[in-house]
Amino acid sequence: MKALFAQNQLDTQRPLVTESVKRAVVSAARDTWEVYFSRLFPATGSVGTGVQLLAVSHVGIKLLRMVKSGQEAGGQLRVLRAYSFADILFVTMPSQNMLEFNLASEKVILFSARAHQVKTLVDDFILELKKDSDYVVAVRNFLPEDPALLAFHKGDIIHLQPLEPPRVGYSAGCVVRKKVVYLEELRRRGPDFGWRFGTIHGRVGHFPSVLVQPAAAPDFLQLPAEPGRSRAAAVAAAVASAAAAQEVGRRREGPPVRARSADHGEDALALPPYTMLEFAQKYFRDPQRRPQDGLRLKSKEARESRTLEDMLCFTKTPLQESLIELSDNSLNKMATDMFLAVMRFMGDAPLKGQSDLDVLCNLLKLCGDHEVMRDECYCQVVKQITDNTSSKQDSCQRGWRLLYIVTAYHSCSEVLHPHLTRFLHDVSRTPGLPFQGIAKACEQNLQKTLRFGGRLELPSSIELRAMLAGRSSKRQLFLLPGGLERHLKIKTCTVALDVVEEICAEMALTRPEAFSEYVIFVVTNRGQHVCPLSRRAYILDVASEMEQVDGGYMLWFRRVLWDQPLKFENELYVTMHYNQVLPDYLKGLFSSVPASQPSEQLLQQVSKLASLQHRAKDHFYLPSVREVQEYIPAQLYRTTVGSTWLNLVSQHRQQTQALSPHQARAQFLELQQHCCASPLHPCRQPQWPQLSQHRDSWTGTVSCGGRARGEPAQCP
């Protein structure tokens, strides 16, 4: 820059003379000053990287760090790494503040509070860069048998060429919607009509357009001279995350397109779709260029056998690298520590002063804090339970129980999910294989975790000992209105919705709209604190949390909405609703006190309801005046003398004596439902007691102040 100023005789006293000189100065500044024409964002990298800022400019991104300078008090920015936009295949946001830069040769993970703005800016630059490019990148393998078609691997960069006519006397084409479409006709029908024509490493041919996506122009690419696995492995690792898979295309990636060919001898073997072995072949590190289990394989046949058969087999020695290719050194170190924890939990490595619970909690926290490591964790556990040859008799069993726990806490990516699900499915349904029951339980846990988000509270020592002993459930008491008790079997992944559905099924309710009207409450402080649970809340999480706060907590089941009509066939249904409605009726919540003497119709209704209550207790004798007083709301009882109420109740005794207690409760509810003053009436809004943080009893009148765990506060 100084030379440019001297050449044009520029200084602070002489202004710029021509536009060409101005352009030259600006161009020199853009080319020589690394971060001057960049937009800076606060960002941090993985542990040990030292990244403090992310610079985005017209040529790419730079990772920066502020270093102290002896000449300048504020310090200066040092460029740690720089990447051009041509190196960036795409950018994803696995979480709100996390950025994944999927590059041609590695994957960079950054964290920034302005991640969304960074992604938008980088996407705009990449879009412009690829707009007029004649290059595409393969997102799936294509190994055709026909030599006229172009074979390639995922991650290969292909140079698009104009479509060439077929050989004389031949017509090349494909079948689309039951019609033959000739390649020579594609020129007038558009270049993207199903097929492309390109070249890679000196070979040319046609290939399906659905297997590629646009890539940067050749000026910016540094292509390898010969085909290799480095770029393909990098793209595979990038696509191995759910967010990256959505960027490639919003469809789950299928198996590679393979066929037997004399030109591709070692690649001719097609693996079954969605097996763990297929996932390992596509996304694991290349075993041919790294030591594994302390052995180096010399012959080509031995290396291929290791590649296709031993990538997911048990090992007695700790891993030196992650299974899935991770470019970040800190993540790679994290993966090796994770594998050592897996070995310790399974008994294949010494605990070194830790307990099983310590090892498990560290493993679960690691997966919780670093989402990108969850697939690695699943692959490591599957590896150790596959062909397990450990000298420890219970090693494989403890490995399966570890997988059972992990599936209850953390989900895997959408890309790994079909492979892991098939692995569990095959084990649970193949006759003669051990661990069929726990494999099925792991599959169920995984589906629950994908649906509800997974457990939050780490398991207690009591729960862990129970699971290691093979006990995967416990009996939990749930209280229904009126003191009815239900002891339900609660498994590791049981949520509040499961409890609601189980109790509703016992009451002969099977429709989802009926389930939505019932809620589980957690009650502490001797009934003074009541909190409704979110339907997604895990019961064992709630129990673990409450045991630390109040060992005398209770779980209540109650109806909070009344849109669905009442039913009177099921005895538990009728008893539960009768016990919930009766206390509110006796407090006068369903009726208003008349200004004058009650009408004869009202007196008959109230006296019949009193007679039904007496019969619901399975009493045949004539009630006393004191008992009648207990059956009638206080504000109504005071309007008439006790002897009159007793005579009115006696008039209904003959009808109610013929009823069973169940029939008496059902008739009580039916009369309430048809009473216009009752909230059970379909034309009126229900007025049941609302959710509260403080209440004196099960049926007390309270104000709305409670909040469901995981949900915003609201009144039913």
Side-chain angles (χ1 to χ4, degrees), residues 438-460:
I438 195 170
K440 179 63 177 178
C442 289
E443 186 179 0
Q444 294 171 347
N445 283 1
L446 186 61
Q447 300 305 321
K448 274 289 189 68
T449 302
L450 289 171
R451 181 181 178 188
F452 297 110
R455 294 272 302 271
L456 297 176
E457 297 289 332
L458 294 175
S460 63

Side-chain angles (χ1 to χ4, degrees), residues 570-642:
N570 184 274
E571 185 169 354
L572 177 62
Y573 178 97
V574 171
T575 303
M576 178 265 176
H577 286 78
Y578 174 83
N579 291 340
Q580 179 170 331
V581 169
L582 178 61
D584 291 334
Y585 164 75
L586 294 178
K587 290 189 176 184
L589 300 181
F590 299 163
S591 59
S592 57
V593 180
S596 57
Q597 188 70 16
S599 64
E600 182 64 24
Q601 181 182 4
L602 179 58
L603 292 175
Q604 291 295 329
Q605 289 177 351
V606 173
S607 59
K608 184 173 184 179
L609 290 173
S611 180
L612 290 172
Q613 293 177 58
H614 190 67
R615 184 68 191 98
K617 293 182 177 181
D618 202 12
H619 295 330
F620 287 97
Y621 61 84
L622 182 66
S624 65
V625 175
R626 179 176 293 275
E627 288 177 314
V628 170
Q629 183 179 0
E630 294 175 352
Y631 298 148
I632 299 174
Q635 62 268 38
L636 286 176
Y637 185 82
R638 289 193 294 266
T639 61
T640 306
V641 297

Side-chain angles (χ1 to χ4, degrees), residues 326-338:
L326 302 172
S327 59
D328 190 285
N329 291 333
S330 63
L331 293 179
N332 192 47
K333 175 65 168 58
M334 203 178 298
T336 58
D337 294 341
M338 176 184 289

Side-chain angles (χ1 to χ4, degrees), residues 258-260 264-271 281 304 308:
R258 292 180 175 268
R260 296 188 177 273
H264 304 87
E266 62 181 9
D267 288 332
L269 179 61
L271 293 174
Q281 185 188 53
E304 181 65 16
L308 295 179

